[in-house]
Amino acid sequence: MEKLEPYIGINGGSWQHVQKEYLLQNESPERKILMGVQATEKTQVYNQENKYGKDWHPVGDSMKRWWSRSGWNQMLHVNTEEKLPSSVAAVTRLMLERTIVTVSEETDLGSEYSVRRSYCKRIQFNNLPFYEHDYSPLFEMLGADSSSKTGPQQIVLQANAESMKALTPAKFAKEIKRYEPIIAGVLLDGSGGKGIPLRAAQLRQYIDRLYDMDIAVGIAGGLSEETIEPLA
């Protein structure tokens, strides 16, 4: 699977403001900004608004409004309560269906026709216990769809604090190695939205083990000038 290019991921309703300020300060930015569109069972299966609000977690079919031409610069974040691969696959299919919109395209003769197209080309799986279950069939299935108009092209596997606590850096890298051919990147996130400061010394051990693989490696959670300086 194609390796991810460097990017800055932003979640929440303020992403357009952040993007504008970033582009104003960088005439030729080296990193593109990707907006994270969050999808959970509560908002997508049960169609209920959660505590974070609709600006971050769209509810039900309202997700379709998020996927237009700007969808090329977005990433679908999937987080499910049930972690069995079959359950994750079923919910993911539903969530991806809601990234598909009907658009008008033009033939060589100038006439228009309607086509269903998904602009979700990147999908991130959050909080999966990838060391307890094998999600390869799901990722392979999504990869097989990548050449179509309705499948993502790049898959990112988020590794949370629990996964790094459960595995030594060596064992962690061994588990990730199994997924190397079918994912585009790994995101090391020791905070998970809980405001925990980034622990650079701990992350460095995992990053060093992953750098020889043909996947992108990203970090998230508790980022500040002070916490990321040891990683420079």
Side-chain angles (χ1 to χ4, degrees), residues 131-157:
Y131 48 94
E132 295 179 350
H133 302 293
D134 184 9
Y135 297 96
S136 297
L138 168 59
F139 297 163
E140 289 171 353
M141 175 186 69
L142 295 173
D145 289 343
S146 64
S147 60
S148 72
K149 296 181 178 180
T150 58
Q153 293 179 338
Q154 295 177 314
I155 296 171
V156 177
L157 181 60

Side-chain angles (χ1 to χ4, degrees), residues 9-15 34-40 43-44 49-59 62-63 66-67 74-77 79 124 126 189 192-194:
I10 300 176
N11 292 311
S14 63
W15 76 278
L34 296 183
M35 175 188 176
V37 181
Q38 303 289 333
T40 67
T43 58
Q44 290 300 304
E49 184 176 347
N50 66 15
K51 63 182 180 180
Y52 297 107
K54 298 179 182 178
D55 286 340
W56 190 1
H57 291 243
V59 177
S62 69
M63 180 181 282
W66 292 64
W67 300 94
Q74 295 174 192
M75 179 184 286
L76 180 66
H77 291 224
N79 192 17
Q124 177 176 305
N126 295 339
D189 186 353
K194 298 178 181 178

